[in-house]
Amino acid sequence: MTLVTWTLDTPSARAALEIATEYTEGALLNHSVRSYAFGAEYAARHGLSYDRELFYVGALVHDLGLTAPFDSHTLPFEEAGGHVVRVLTAGLGWPAERRARAEEVVVRHMREDVTAAEDVESHLLQIGTTADVSGVGVGDADPVFRAELLTEYPRLGFGEAFFALVADQAARKPQCAAAAYVASGAKERIAANPLDRQG
């Protein structure tokens, strides 16, 4: 049995999963679920309290700005994704302050590190996405949890597909966070992810 589950059964969570499933291919969809799961497992190990629904919704749609329907020719993909989650949660009846928090969580996942004390949901999304994209910290996660997660939500060539998407963002928007990320050696870090060699 795993330390955490990677599903959440609320109307907002179901809507986020439905939208993510509709607009992302398998590799990117599975990444979104795994990002939530790695963040939630980290929170369980470190005794962090957080708004599970807010984190789940943000994690499930955090990369929609990379998809063709939501790719902005002017905004960085995380900002475009922030607008998507804000519109989605407005349709779900979330109040303005909670919609703004959802946007903040999505935008911050590509920004400078945020501490858990400062913003726990943004911190967890940064932890979860970093673990899944480049493998940082995955050795600290429960090995049974890791194995079950990868069986349920396999990689499906995620690393190469994701790098192609962010490299495209970097080329078209050279001032965005994705450009700095690519320039900092992202391709090599992604290629070295131990999750892609876990049997």
Side-chain angles (χ1 to χ4, degrees), residues 5-197:
T5 61
W6 36 76
T7 59
L8 184 61
D9 190 21
T10 70
S12 293
R14 289 193 297 272
L17 178 58
E18 183 176 348
I19 292 299
T21 302
E22 185 172 344
Y23 284 100
T24 59
E25 299 295 327
L28 199 58
L29 174 64
N30 286 4
H31 160 67
S32 298
V33 176
R34 290 192 309 264
S35 294
Y36 168 76
F38 279 123
E41 195 271 348
Y42 175 93
R45 280 190 287 115
H46 291 270
L48 297 177
S49 298
Y50 62 99
D51 183 326
R52 190 172 174 205
E53 184 178 68
L54 174 65
F55 175 41
Y56 183 88
V57 169
L60 265 288
V61 302
H62 79 274
D63 276 343
L64 283 185
L66 289 171
T67 67
F70 301 113
D71 183 16
S72 169
H73 70 284
T74 57
L75 294 176
F77 82 89
E78 68 275 14
E79 290 184 17
H83 289 291
V84 173
V85 77
R86 194 167 189 136
V87 171
L88 170 64
T89 53
L92 294 170
W94 287 22
E97 183 178 348
R98 189 166 169 77
R99 295 195 305 268
R101 281 289 298 125
E103 178 183 16
E104 186 173 42
V105 168
V106 170
V107 170
R108 278 184 155 181
H109 93 275
M110 282 295 290
R111 302 301 164 91
E112 294 297 319
D113 287 346
V114 179
T115 66
E118 190 178 357
D119 178 347
V120 68
E121 292 82 19
S122 293
H123 178 71
L124 293 178
L125 188 55
Q126 289 179 340
I127 291 289
T129 55
T130 301
D132 195 60
V133 171
S134 56
V136 174
V138 295
D140 298 329
D142 176 71
V144 174
F145 157 80
R146 271 197 329 264
E148 291 183 0
L149 179 62
L150 291 174
T151 298
E152 188 76 17
Y153 295 96
R155 302 284 290 170
L156 304 177
F158 167 71
E160 286 185 13
F162 180 73
F163 182 75
L165 289 169
V166 294
D168 175 64
Q169 292 282 317
R172 292 187 289 116
K173 307 168 195 177
Q175 302 306 313
C176 71
Y181 174 65
V182 169
S184 72
K187 185 173 185 178
E188 293 74 20
R189 291 195 302 277
I190 291 170
N193 190 337
L195 293 175
D196 289 320
R197 292 180 295 282

